[in-house]
Amino acid sequence: MTKSIMSRTKISDPNDVDYSQKILTRQEFGRRLYNFMMQNRMSQSDLSRASGMGRDSISQYVRGRSVPSPKNLAKLADALNIEVDVLF
């Protein structure tokens, strides 16, 4: 028996789900940020200095407690030498 996905408008087949618009959770963003930091051999303090942001903010992002604003996301991406789209 296959499961179906309910929506407000219709019942659809689970194979019809569009995963290209996946929403990134705070925890997933934190893991992604941490992995990029490790690839660049950066500590939270290093990333803090390179981005001009507080180390406490970096810690909150890495632990999945919050996600950065678009402005801070751009700062992080610049400090890690990657595109914003790749990071988020």
Side-chain angles (χ1 to χ4, degrees):
M1 179 177 205
T2 62
K3 289 184 178 180
S4 59
I5 298 173
M6 298 285 291
S7 73
R8 291 184 183 189
T9 56
K10 64 179 181 173
I11 297 175
S12 63
D13 182 27
N15 296 327
D16 293 339
V17 177
D18 180 17
Y19 290 106
S20 65
Q21 298 298 319
K22 183 176 184 297
I23 298 171
L24 196 64
T25 66
R26 292 180 305 212
Q27 290 80 18
E28 289 169 336
F29 176 78
R31 282 191 292 272
R32 185 174 285 196
L33 178 60
Y34 180 78
N35 287 333
F36 281 118
M37 286 171 49
M38 293 301 104
Q39 287 176 5
N40 288 315
R41 297 183 177 159
M42 296 178 90
S43 67
Q44 290 182 13
S45 295
D46 295 334
L47 182 57
S48 172
R49 283 189 289 274
S51 65
M53 298 171 57
R55 199 192 63 73
D56 290 341
S57 296
I58 304 296
S59 175
Q60 293 291 315
Y61 303 148
V62 170
R63 291 187 301 146
R65 301 279 186 208
S66 65
V67 291
S69 66
K71 180 180 172 184
N72 287 342
L73 185 64
K75 289 179 182 182
L76 291 170
D78 287 342
L80 293 168
N81 297 316
I82 57 175
E83 296 292 321
V84 172
D85 293 343
V86 173
L87 180 58
F88 201 74

